[in-house]
Amino acid sequence: MKTKISIFLLVAFATSVLAFSHFSSPGVPEPWTTQQLLNPADLAKTLNNPSAPQPIVYSVGMQAIIKNSIEIGPAMMKENLNSLKSKLEKLPKNSNIVIYCGCCPFERCPNVRPAMELLKTMQFTNYKLLNLPQNIKVDWIDHGYPLSE
Amino acid sequence: MRKLILLVAIVLSGSYFLNAFAQKQGLEIGDKAPEIAFPSPEGNTVALSSLKNKLVLIDFWGTWCAPCVKEQPELAKLYKKYKNTSFRNGKGFEIYGVSLDAKEENWKNGIKTLNISWIQVSDLKFWRSPVAKTYNIQELPYNLLLNGNGTILAKNLHGSELEKMIIRFMK
């Protein structure tokens, strides 16, 4: 129990420190390019068409809300990032991969950057970040896009 | 012909009103806050409507939301200061914390660590919680101040702005 509480404290502390400091510092380039931002409408269209080639979609946030997505857990936590890493190690470098979190606006999200940095470091060539600039509610659920059961 | 004109007029006015209705997003000051009845950490359902006759702050938050976590000690100060105060339309100040957490463990640990002593409820559905829709929540933290009848007095005030508003409704 004590460990759990101290983990929570650590996470809360790290979130606040990170959220209010270097997250989207001006001048520091984001670990993704504009071309790597995937339009939610495009992903929704693909997910709604089972005959289309499907990407592997990882939730690196609180909950795998998007249909057929795989829950990793918050990527800001090392254990979750390691679990993502071990899943990625089994995939070809040109796999079609989509990352999303959707808890908060990008500038405050503690999870998307570690995940995108990992994919970059592992030299994947075909990965995207789902463009949820506000959050998963406003940019996905409110549009009626497909949800997990 | 007259019937046709009448019919067109009815259809047009109907679509005008429907449109006006659809454009009204979320809740406005003066609206009645819709009912929320979610479990507390102990598993008892606590209804918002059970807080009638008190000044109530609905605080929508989550342990994963850094600015929300940062705000909790400020809310604790307000709670301590005003919980037994008499207001124009209610006796006492209560906070009804609604968490959009996804994991029970994170939620409960958060409440414990932050030492929150006011009402806490959650359906643990993250952004899929029906309240996110009924209250048209766009971002966290988000809050509403209600009077003793459950009518919305203020929307999304924080820090000194929130305290000023609470003071405004003191007897």
Side-chain angles (χ1 to χ4, degrees):
Chain A
M1 196 60 198
K2 269 193 176 164
T3 341
K4 279 178 188 166
I5 293 178
S6 44
I7 288 174
F8 171 82
L9 267 175
L10 192 71
V11 170
F13 177 74
T15 318
S16 14
V17 168
L18 291 171
F20 293 101
S21 59
H22 89 258
F23 262 19
S24 58
S25 333
V28 178
E30 295 290 13
W32 61 80
T33 63
T34 321
Q35 288 77 29
Q36 278 177 305
L37 287 175
L38 176 63
N39 187 354
D42 292 339
L43 179 62
K45 205 173 153 189
T46 310
L47 295 175
N48 281 329
N49 176 11
S51 56
Q54 297 295 311
I56 304 166
V57 185
Y58 290 114
S59 161
V60 298
M62 312 305 143
Q63 202 177 56
I65 277 182
I66 294 178
K67 186 184 173 187
N68 295 340
S69 64
I70 300 160
E71 179 141 0
I72 298 294
M76 66 180 291
M77 292 173 80
K78 210 169 176 196
E79 60 198 80
N80 295 329
L81 197 64
N82 284 341
S83 121
L84 176 63
K85 193 177 174 194
S86 63
K87 286 188 164 66
L88 291 172
E89 274 163 355
K90 295 173 193 130
L91 298 176
K93 297 289 184 195
N94 64 353
S95 305
N96 183 2
I97 293 167
V98 177
I99 294 289
Y100 76 96
C101 170
C103 72
C104 331
F106 275 150
E107 66 268 21
R108 273 209 247 126
C109 176
N111 300 309
V112 289
R113 287 170 188 83
M116 289 301 280
E117 267 156 17
L118 177 67
L119 280 147
K120 194 176 177 180
T121 316
M122 291 177 81
Q123 297 181 319
F124 276 84
T125 56
N126 187 21
Y127 62 99
K128 297 254 161 60
L129 174 63
L130 188 61
N131 195 7
L132 304 171
Q134 182 83 356
N135 56 55
I136 191 114
K137 191 251 175 194
V138 172
D139 301 311
W140 188 269
I141 301 175
D142 285 353
H143 292 269
Y145 296 152
L147 303 174
S148 58
E149 273 154 28
Chain B
M1 190 60 190
R2 261 191 202 163
K3 271 186 187 167
L4 187 69
I5 291 172
L6 191 68
L7 188 71
V8 169
I10 290 173
V11 169
L12 281 180
S13 57
S15 68
Y16 172 79
F17 284 118
L18 269 181
N19 199 25
F21 180 73
Q23 276 175 359
K24 187 184 174 287
Q25 282 202 333
L27 300 159
E28 301 300 333
I29 289 164
D31 285 353
K32 202 101 175 163
E35 176 68 304
I36 306 173
F38 286 161
S40 71
E42 295 76 32
N44 312 312
T45 301
V46 185
L48 176 63
S49 58
S50 70
L51 305 177
K52 273 221 167 102
N53 302 320
K54 285 187 176 213
L55 189 76
V56 176
L57 181 78
I58 312 181
D59 173 41
F60 295 99
W61 75 297
T63 59
W64 47 264
C65 158
C68 305
V69 169
K70 204 177 168 228
E71 193 182 27
Q72 298 306 307
E74 293 175 35
L75 296 182
K77 276 183 207 156
L78 292 178
Y79 188 59
K80 200 176 163 194
K81 204 163 161 187
Y82 298 106
K83 67 176 173 184
N84 296 317
T85 306
S86 284
F87 295 93
R88 268 188 261 156
N89 198 354
K91 201 168 164 46
F93 170 61
E94 190 52 74
I95 304 178
Y96 186 79
V98 183
S99 163
L100 296 190
D101 265 275
K103 304 267 184 293
E104 189 173 0
E105 193 186 331
N106 294 349
W107 177 49
K108 288 185 174 173
N109 286 343
I111 293 169
K112 196 172 274 179
T113 315
L114 293 160
N115 225 340
I116 298 176
S117 56
W118 52 88
I119 298 167
Q120 285 293 331
V121 298
S122 180
D123 61 355
L124 300 170
K125 288 186 180 167
F126 187 46
W127 276 116
R128 278 176 94 164
S129 173
V131 295
K133 208 179 179 100
T134 48
Y135 280 81
N136 192 33
I137 305 170
Q138 302 287 310
E139 204 179 336
L140 290 189
Y142 181 70
N143 67 39
L144 295 168
L145 192 67
L146 314 180
N147 72 11
N149 301 321
T151 302
I152 298 167
L153 300 173
K155 279 165 66 171
N156 218 15
L157 296 181
H158 302 274
S160 61
E161 294 294 310
L162 176 59
E163 183 162 13
K164 268 186 218 157
M165 190 57 89
I166 293 173
I167 292 168
R168 245 184 78 181
F169 289 96
M170 273 165 62
K171 230 176 194 170

